[in-house]
């Protein structure tokens, strides 16, 4: 933007933030499809590799298109710096590998994305990192899990798939008192609806694959926080290479341009669908923080500007009944992805959280009769009508 000192609203920053045109003065962000960069002389090459000067070196960790995406996302989240990664899981992995060491301890909420828990349990613990799982909403359990070696608190809010809400201020106080870092997965809300750094979080992680893209086109992730912490994350990225491709960064830049209007429309559709499901005779329970009887409704109103697009509901009859509902729909996409313009439907217990043990599923409150909906941008009447086809099977 011409005047860098002016302050703009989120919707404007999502469209114009973090980009400086090249000498060609292109209006749309340039796509730099190059693996490496040429130096004017040997001294400049040496200075670039040693970080004595700021320069593009190798697209594994320096690329102008990726940098534009990072700067725009950091601006939206209110962070000093962002680091783009190859996926949302790569973002979480990069934080853990960069900031923890053998003997450290993680406190993690029970109801995180299934792959997050599998990664921690199956791989991260192999390197001597301890983990304790606690209920997301039980602040006393978080406090009670703190040990002398606790270094990181990790949660996602709203949670996947039950839409539980974490008290970010309370968790940030626990983190500060224990000299730990609070890391928040902000995938469901995006910075349009929630800015965890403003509530005391130290780091925000994203699966850009979801709402940041918005159309199910590309994989990507990001980490946002202070320059000091992000420099450590970037150091891991430079060595290990879970890097975002320039083409995907360009797609995500385009996705950010419509993020504000999309999140408002997604939330409006989800709110309407949740209220409709709450009144449906075939639905036993709806999990959506936008409903006034949801336990986290007041906290969500405080921390978020809206309630997002992901909801879950339970039906009687367990897995067999849930599968009948899902299989009878004709328009909804049966896929584990979310954040798409198309509404998606999935059975969490056998897909997104299917690798968890029965005990872990029970701890997380994920029952066999649970169905998750990521509400898209179709006409709400068509979404309801399609779900009615499924519910009519019960």
């Amino acid at each position: 933007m011409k005047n860098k000192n002016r302050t703009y609203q989120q919707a404007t920053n999502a469209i114009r933030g973090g980009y400086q045109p090249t000498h060609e003065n292109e209006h749309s962000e340039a796509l730099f499809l190059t693996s490496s960069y040429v130096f004017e002389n040997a001294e400049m090459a040496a200075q670039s590799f040693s970080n004595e000067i700021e320069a593009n070196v190798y697209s594994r960790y320096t690329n102008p298109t990726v940098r534009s995406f990072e700067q725009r996302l950091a601006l939206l989240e209110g962070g000093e710096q962002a680091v783009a990664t190859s996926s949302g899981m790569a973002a979480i992995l990069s934080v853990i590998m960069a900031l923890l060491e053998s003997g450290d301890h993680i406190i993690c909420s029970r109801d995180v994305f299934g792959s997050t828990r599998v990664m921690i349990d199956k791989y991260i613990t192999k390197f001597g990192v301890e983990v304790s799982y606690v209920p997301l909403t039980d602040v006393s359990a978080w406090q009670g899990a703190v040990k002398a070696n606790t270094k990181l608190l990790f949660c996602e809010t709203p949670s996947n798939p039950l839409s539980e809400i974490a008290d970010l201020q309370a968790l940030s106080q626990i983190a500060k008192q224990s000299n730990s870092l609070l890391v928040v997965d902000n995938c469901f809300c995006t910075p349009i609806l929630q800015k965890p750094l403003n509530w005391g979080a130290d780091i925000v992680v994203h699966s850009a694959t979801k709402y940041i893209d918005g159309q199910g086109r590309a994989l990507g992730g990001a980490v946002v926080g202070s320059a000091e912490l992000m420099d450590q994350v970037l150091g891991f990225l430079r060595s290990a290479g879970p890097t975002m491709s320039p083409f995907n960064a360009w797609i995500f830049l385009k996705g950010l341009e419509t993020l504000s209007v999309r999140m408002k429309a997604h939330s409006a559709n989800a709110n309407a669908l949740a209220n409709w499901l709450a009144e449906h005779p075939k639905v036993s329970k709806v999990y959506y923080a936008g409903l006034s009887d949801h336990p986290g409704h007041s906290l969500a109103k405080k921390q978020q500007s809206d309630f997002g697009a992901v909801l879950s509901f339970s039906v009687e009859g367990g897995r067999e009944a849930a599968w009948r509902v899902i299989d009878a729909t004709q328009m909804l996409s049966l896929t584990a992805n979310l954040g798409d313009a198309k509404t998606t439907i999935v059975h969490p217990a056998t897909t997104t959280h299917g690798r968890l043990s029965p005990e872990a599923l029970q701890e997380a409150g994920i029952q066999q009769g649970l169905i998750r909906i990521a509400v898209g941008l179709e006409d709400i009447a068509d979404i309801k009508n399609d779900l009615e086809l499924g519910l009519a099977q019960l």
Side-chain angles (χ1 to χ4, degrees), residues 265-266 269 331-333 340-344 374-384 386:
H266 277 297
N269 265 0
M331 181 187 77
L332 306 188
S333 301
D340 202 300
K342 302 178 180 72
T343 298
T344 65
V375 186
L377 301 178
E378 303 97 339
D379 190 286
I380 187 61
D382 291 324
I383 299 173
K384 291 177 182 179
D386 205 50

Side-chain angles (χ1 to χ4, degrees), residues 41 52 58 86 91 112 147 159 173 203 210 241 244 246 255 269 276 303 326 360:
N41 50 57
E52 293 178 47
Y58 192 64
S86 57
V112 291
K147 301 180 180 181
S159 69
Q173 290 174 2
I203 294 172
K210 310 302 190 294
M244 180 178 287
N269 265 0
W276 177 76
Q303 293 177 172
I326 292 169

Side-chain angles (χ1 to χ4, degrees), residues 294-374:
H294 186 283
H297 179 71
S298 296
L299 186 56
K301 284 184 68 176
K302 173 184 173 184
Q303 293 177 172
Q304 303 168 203
S305 62
D306 212 328
F307 300 103
V310 181
L311 61 87
S312 295
F313 65 94
S314 296
V315 294
E316 298 293 337
R319 186 179 75 176
E320 181 185 351
W323 282 13
R324 286 208 309 271
V325 173
I326 292 169
D327 290 347
T329 61
Q330 297 180 7
M331 181 187 77
L332 306 188
S333 301
L334 175 49
T335 177
N337 195 33
L338 57 93
D340 202 300
K342 302 178 180 72
T343 298
T344 65
I345 187 169
V346 75
H347 184 244
T350 53
T351 57
T352 58
H353 294 71
R355 289 190 290 169
L356 300 185
S357 68
E359 295 76 20
L361 282 173
Q362 186 174 5
E363 284 182 355
I366 301 172
Q367 304 299 320
Q368 291 295 326
L370 187 74
I371 297 170
R372 190 191 75 188
I373 304 283

Side-chain angles (χ1 to χ4, degrees), residues 51-65:
N51 295 325
E52 293 178 47
I53 61 173
E54 186 176 330
N56 295 314
V57 177
Y58 192 64
S59 280
R60 186 174 68 244
Y61 65 102
T62 50
N63 178 277
T65 309

